Amino acid sequence: MADRTPEHDTPATSTGSARDDAYDDGSVTRPGVGSGAGDGVDEVDLIAQAWRRERPGAPVASIGVITRIWRVAKLLEDERRRTMARLGMDVATRDLLSTLRRAGPPYQLAPSEIARRALVSPGAVSQRVARAEAAGLVRRRRDGRDGRAVVVELTSEGHQVIGGAVDELLRHEESLLSGLTGQQREHLADLLRVLLADLTERVGPGRAG
């Protein structure tokens, strides 16, 4: 998830970009304005209405999608951190151990491959590996096929720890989707898959140009 939500409460000036200023991260609730969920209008709808009033002709339709994604992402990120803290593991360590466990036997990867799969920098991987290694959850060793290469692998303790943590996390996150029907969840997953693939191609790391 993104580390930074755009700042959106300042109206665009005549020389600014209406698109850049269109979104609102909703960190401040306006006096007298609630969520409006009861009448089918929420804060994001009010944001779009306000920009439509302040900047007639600005393309505000994307607010309904992007601002809601930002808000959902922030809620889920915060909840995941709380859940992992309850389980006694930080999010970065869970990410490292999960990446290794999902790789399958022999549960080892090169640091560069961990960075690619986890969408983090090589420096971040080094820090994560050092913490997990100190806790006995992973170990670094020379690859037998190339004595110069180093791989990171799960220890038996790391294997056990991540298995239990993931089970608990997934059970909890399953409950977070209880407000959607099975059909709604499948439809949302399909739409997000399309959006993610398109944005990754156009603005993601390693894009052409």
Side-chain angles (χ1 to χ4, degrees):
M1 296 183 183
D3 294 332
R4 178 179 179 271
T5 302
E7 298 293 337
H8 303 128
D9 274 338
T10 305
T13 64
S14 58
T15 59
S17 167
R19 177 112 185 147
D20 289 344
D21 289 336
Y23 308 121
D24 192 310
D25 66 1
S27 58
V28 178
T29 301
R30 296 170 182 78
V33 176
S35 66
D39 57 7
V41 175
D42 65 5
E43 179 75 10
V44 177
D45 293 316
L46 299 179
I47 291 168
Q49 291 171 13
W51 281 117
R52 190 177 294 113
R53 181 192 68 238
E54 296 296 320
R55 302 288 291 180
V60 301
S62 58
I63 292 175
V65 175
I66 294 178
T67 300
R68 286 189 177 96
I69 289 176
W70 273 112
R71 291 184 172 205
V72 169
K74 182 63 166 64
L75 289 169
L76 293 178
E77 180 181 30
D78 290 347
E79 182 62 14
R80 176 167 285 193
R81 290 185 185 282
R82 285 190 291 267
T83 302
M84 295 313 301
R86 176 172 57 82
L87 295 173
M89 183 183 298
D90 63 85
V91 173
T93 298
R94 181 210 59 84
D95 194 28
L96 171 64
L97 300 186
S98 293
T99 300
L100 291 170
R101 181 66 184 269
R102 291 195 308 269
Y107 305 106
Q108 63 183 34
L109 292 170
S112 59
E113 182 61 16
I114 295 173
R116 187 189 71 81
R117 297 188 185 193
L119 302 179
V120 297
S121 69
V125 170
S126 295
Q127 293 175 2
R128 293 178 179 190
V129 169
R131 289 197 301 269
E133 190 170 33
L137 302 175
V138 303
R139 58 175 163 260
R140 284 176 278 198
R141 66 174 184 80
R142 296 288 178 181
D143 188 347
R145 294 166 297 180
D146 182 350
R148 295 174 301 175
V150 174
V151 296
V152 180
E153 65 180 5
L154 278 177
T155 62
S156 57
E157 183 177 356
H159 201 280
Q160 182 177 356
V161 166
I162 192 57
V166 167
D167 287 349
E168 289 292 328
L169 178 64
L170 293 180
R171 275 194 288 267
H172 176 63
E173 293 190 343
E174 178 75 17
S175 73
L176 297 180
L177 298 178
S178 61
L180 299 176
T181 67
Q183 185 176 15
Q184 287 173 328
R185 288 166 61 167
E186 289 182 9
H187 185 48
L188 178 60
D190 288 341
L191 293 175
L192 290 174
R193 185 181 301 110
V194 172
L195 179 62
L196 178 60
D198 179 62
L199 290 178
T200 299
E201 175 71 21
R202 293 194 290 123
V203 300
R207 65 191 183 278

